[in-house]
Amino acid sequence: MPRLFETNALPPEPDSAGRLAVDGYLPLPGLLTADGLVLLHQEAAGMEALARRRDFAMKCMDDSPRHMTTLGGQVIVEASDMIPALYRDPGLVGLLTRAAGEPVIEIDDPVERHVLNILHRVGDTHGAHTDDYPYALVLFLEAPDDPADGGLLYFLPHAGSLYDLDAADRARTAHHRAGDAYLLRSDTTAHRVTPLSRPGLRRTVLNFAYTTPTARPHRTGSATELYG
Ligand SMILES: O=C(O)CCC(=O)C(=O)O
Ligand SMILES: [Fe+2]
């Protein structure tokens, strides 16, 4: 099996943990190897027929919109060996631990461990929320090349409420390409994905959720609504 990710991929700045603590976000550009991108993209494409279309407003997240196609970890584990193996790969978990500056560990939750999110229609968006677990590694398998086409991460670290995401002027956007990744302090960073602007665009990500030995995840009903 070829290497799926760059084991040495860490941001050039020495203090990634400090940056993550302040910004809530750490870009990991080019985390996937060329082989990794091809193989994971194929794996996701092969599972897409199992994925379900979701169009609703999420009550527990201020009625923010979900227009996307999703596949939960409980289905992925039956359909893929590669994705669950990557999720628990000690090299990947070690990289995340170095990046975060604290032990990053697997979660037990079979649904949220590893999910697939596909935006593929005009207006498709993953609306504002925080995650149930403290860390999210988001791996890009497809993304619009042009930031003007949408699919941007829009985020606000240390958010008091989801309302602040659009009200505060501290919110930032980030653009990613296929093969890129980012690590998010996802339980305290409010975040959403901006809508796709025109037909023919696709944005496909894997989201791997992790915790720490001391974190107390605040479980919401969001995963059941989106992946159940
Ligand atoms: O697609 C993204 O960039 C964010 C995904 C996300 O926030 C999630 O799955 O909880
Ligand atoms: Fe999220």
Side-chain angles (χ1 to χ4, degrees):
M1 169 69 109
R3 270 190 308 119
L4 299 183
F5 63 96
E6 301 289 355
T7 31
N8 295 325
L10 264 192
E13 61 263 58
D15 186 18
S16 62
R19 177 166 176 196
L20 189 57
V22 172
D23 293 346
Y25 164 85
L26 185 72
L28 297 166
L31 179 67
L32 296 179
T33 61
D35 285 338
L37 176 57
V38 169
L39 290 170
L40 288 166
H41 184 209
Q42 276 171 4
E43 193 81 347
M47 293 189 304
E48 194 163 333
L50 303 172
R52 259 183 64 190
R53 182 69 198 172
R54 316 280 171 152
D55 292 281
F56 67 99
M58 189 172 279
K59 281 183 210 65
C60 66
M61 295 292 165
D62 287 1
D63 280 325
S64 59
R66 299 292 178 280
H67 296 290
M68 55 201 287
T69 292
T70 69
L71 195 58
Q74 77 283 19
V75 183
I76 292 176
V77 76
E78 300 294 333
S80 169
D81 292 331
M82 188 189 302
I83 291 168
L86 179 60
Y87 173 80
R88 55 176 187 263
D89 186 302
L92 185 64
V93 175
L95 184 152
L96 299 177
T97 292
R98 289 196 304 283
E102 65 176 328
V104 169
I105 60 175
E106 297 174 32
I107 65 166
D108 294 329
D109 186 325
V111 177
E112 290 201 63
R113 273 165 84 82
H114 36 59
V115 301
L116 184 68
N117 297 334
I118 308 166
L119 308 184
H120 56 109
R121 295 183 185 166
V122 178
D124 267 10
T125 188
H126 188 165
H129 66 282
T130 49
D131 294 359
D132 291 352
Y133 293 94
Y135 287 106
L137 174 68
V138 176
L139 300 162
F140 284 77
L141 308 184
E142 298 180 291
D145 275 330
D146 185 347
D149 283 333
L152 303 175
L153 176 70
Y154 190 84
F155 65 101
L156 178 70
H158 311 287
S161 75
L162 292 181
Y163 171 80
D164 291 343
L165 182 57
D166 285 302
D169 53 12
R170 291 189 297 123
R172 291 174 41 195
T173 57
H175 175 245
H176 306 87
R177 296 196 159 79
D180 289 347
Y182 66 83
L183 182 62
L184 196 70
R185 178 69 208 212
S186 49
D187 57 345
T188 54
T189 303
H191 56 284
R192 65 180 172 85
V193 180
T194 64
L196 294 184
S197 66
R198 57 183 178 82
L201 298 170
R202 288 178 58 88
R203 181 187 190 276
T204 300
V205 301
L206 284 166
N207 185 349
F208 289 177
Y210 296 93
T211 188
T212 71
T214 53
R216 298 185 163 275
H218 38 263
R219 303 292 307 279
T220 66
S222 62
T224 311
E225 279 194 69
L226 195 54
Y227 303 104

